[in-house]
Amino acid sequence: MASIKVNGTETEVPDPSRNLLSFLRYDLGLTGTKYGCGEGLCGACTVLVDGRPLKACMTTAGAVAGGSVTTIEGLASDGRLHPVQQAFVEESAMQCGYCIPGFIMSAVGLLNRDRSPSREQIREALAENMCRCGTYQRIQRAVERAAATISRGVK
Ligand code: FES
Ligand code: FES
């Protein structure tokens, strides 16, 4: 049977045709990954697959079999928030919060590739994530804060 590593745990995929977002939310109970549009337009469902952001609503569990999926639940370690999560808290970069897991996963994906992105690169990396509450400026500041923290080597 196909399997995926989900937040570090090898997990069987009984139905490879199962939508990845549904697999995570309904089969595994990882409800931090949100359903927004279901059409690849809002970014609420963003997870990392092998460290890169992917919209879970647009793929199947079978398509990422053999890979490593990280959801928002898998970011903190040793009881400490990931620097991106911590920066979002410190900048109060959320209102209702619904979009935030997707933004955080996109930001982590960016900082995995580039620890010191420019303001423009941050904007580009988050361009496919939508926030209906309009907290974009605070989100931008949070990602800049996280990048500075990560560049200093603080974990
Ligand atoms: S729910 Fe996947 S992009 Fe909107
Ligand atoms: S904080 Fe409400 S949708 Fe972004």
Side-chain angles (χ1 to χ4, degrees), residues 21 34-46 55-58 128:
L21 179 58
K34 301 303 184 200
Y35 177 92
C37 63
E39 297 180 355
L41 300 172
C42 75
C45 64
T46 304
K55 291 172 184 154
C57 73
M58 296 299 286
E128 294 187 9

Side-chain angles (χ1 to χ4, degrees), residues 3 34 47-48 56-57 67 75 77 80 82 97 111 114 151:
S3 70
K34 301 303 184 200
V47 296
L48 298 180
C57 73
L75 281 187
S77 67
R80 296 181 62 174
H82 184 282
L111 297 176
D114 182 352
S151 304

Side-chain angles (χ1 to χ4, degrees), residues 37 40-44 46 53 55 99 102-107 110 113 118-132 136 139-140 143:
C37 63
L41 300 172
C42 75
T46 304
K55 291 172 184 154
C99 68
F103 270 99
I104 288 177
M105 300 317 286
S106 292
L110 168 66
R113 302 192 295 277
S118 66
R119 186 160 286 196
E120 192 49 41
Q121 285 171 317
I122 294 172
R123 215 170 282 146
E124 263 175 39
L126 302 182
E128 294 187 9
N129 290 82
M130 304 297 148
C131 174
R132 293 187 67 167
Y136 293 106
I139 288 170
Q140 175 86 24
V143 179

Side-chain angles (χ1 to χ4, degrees), residues 94-100 103 130-135:
M94 69 283 293
Q95 205 158 307
C96 77
Y98 196 83
C99 68
I100 297 300
F103 270 99
M130 304 297 148
C131 174
R132 293 187 67 167
C133 301
T135 60

Side-chain angles (χ1 to χ4, degrees), residues 136-149:
Y136 293 106
Q137 294 201 358
R138 282 183 273 160
I139 288 170
Q140 175 86 24
R141 283 202 299 273
V143 179
E144 288 172 8
R145 178 189 279 259
T149 304

